[in-house]
Amino acid sequence: MKVIHKINELKEIIKEQKGKSIGLVPTMGALHEGHGSLIKKSVEQNDFTIVSVFVNPVQFGINEDFDKYPRTLEKDAKLAEELGADVIFNPSVDEMYTDTQELTLVCPPYSAINKLCGKSRPGHFDGVATVVSKLFNITQCTRAYFGQKDAQQLFIIKKMVKDLNFNVEIVPCPIVREKDGLALSSRNTYLKDDARADALKLSKALNYAKELRKKGVNDKQMLCDSALKILEGTNVDYIEIVNPETFEDWQETDKRALMLIAAKIPPTDTRLIDNMEI
Ligand code: AMP
């Protein structure tokens, strides 16, 4: 497996793959088994798999964790190689952007970003849609793999591909969790001691709401309030239920319901997200 830092070098390698299917797994690195599941799927479904490892400054807000985001390239390369990836693409910020202030952005519509993470993190999804577009153009991938962990991101990328006629098949991948339910995340490395117990409250709250719905509770307020009780001790950013197909607010007549939570975990205020169909 090769680790490539330059766009032109990657393009040369891609030229050599003529006629072959190319899978792309876009990541910010600090790879864990969640990323691993995407890589495995890509290796199964494609002749050639590229894992991009790029902490994208354009999708971080000014007070967010861009500088301290974990960067573990050597470990990432080992895992990606073990899983059968062909290339890690790890460009520098300068290689990807000549000037982030004067950048042509891909901007998802207001209706898709005025809620959930888009509302809490202004500009975040412009940054995501822009970098993903660049990666699609650079790699000319056949398929690209995204985790349902970032459900709003997946929704926005699918919409972008449809709206802008990208010739890429988007493959959604289920959330990988620890045995006790905690969704794997690169940011879990920020959690120390007691913080992990608080972090676990996200999946507990989602599972509880799922149980309630199984028992016939269909009242949105009641479902959210019950989940909120479990989240006590964390700083809840949002808890919402949407229709997973449209990402519109869930109506009690909708069959499918996706509950999404974002919460900051003290004392470091690590921001975690999780979601589940309930
Ligand atoms: P990130 O490196 O956090 O930007 O994530 C890169 C990709 O991996 C995204 O498509 C995420 O949704 C996906 N991902 C992250 N964590 C998980 C997880 N626990 N299970 C499945 N996919 C994940």
Side-chain angles (χ1 to χ4, degrees), residues 80-150:
E81 181 161 35
E82 277 167 14
L83 296 175
D86 297 281
V87 165
I88 281 208
F89 177 49
N90 173 235
S92 66
V93 171
D94 288 345
E95 180 70 7
M96 284 294 268
Y97 302 114
T98 32
D99 184 349
T100 53
Q101 298 306 312
E102 292 294 326
L103 180 65
T104 304
L105 288 169
V106 178
C107 301
Y110 183 68
S111 61
I113 58 166
N114 69 345
K115 57 184 90 157
L116 307 163
C117 287
K119 194 171 170 191
S120 317
R121 305 183 69 187
H124 171 67
F125 286 118
D126 295 354
V128 170
T130 302
V131 81
V132 169
S133 302
K134 282 171 73 74
L135 290 168
F136 286 174
N137 285 333
I138 293 166
T139 61
Q140 295 293 306
C141 55
T142 321
R143 300 183 184 87
Y145 295 78
F146 290 88
Q148 278 161 343
K149 161 109 186 328
D150 296 85

Side-chain angles (χ1 to χ4, degrees), residues 28-32 35 69-70 149 183-190:
M28 296 203 300
L31 300 186
H32 49 64
H35 300 112
Y69 198 84
K149 161 109 186 328
L184 296 187
S185 161
S186 304
R187 290 190 170 97
N188 288 353
T189 55
Y190 300 153

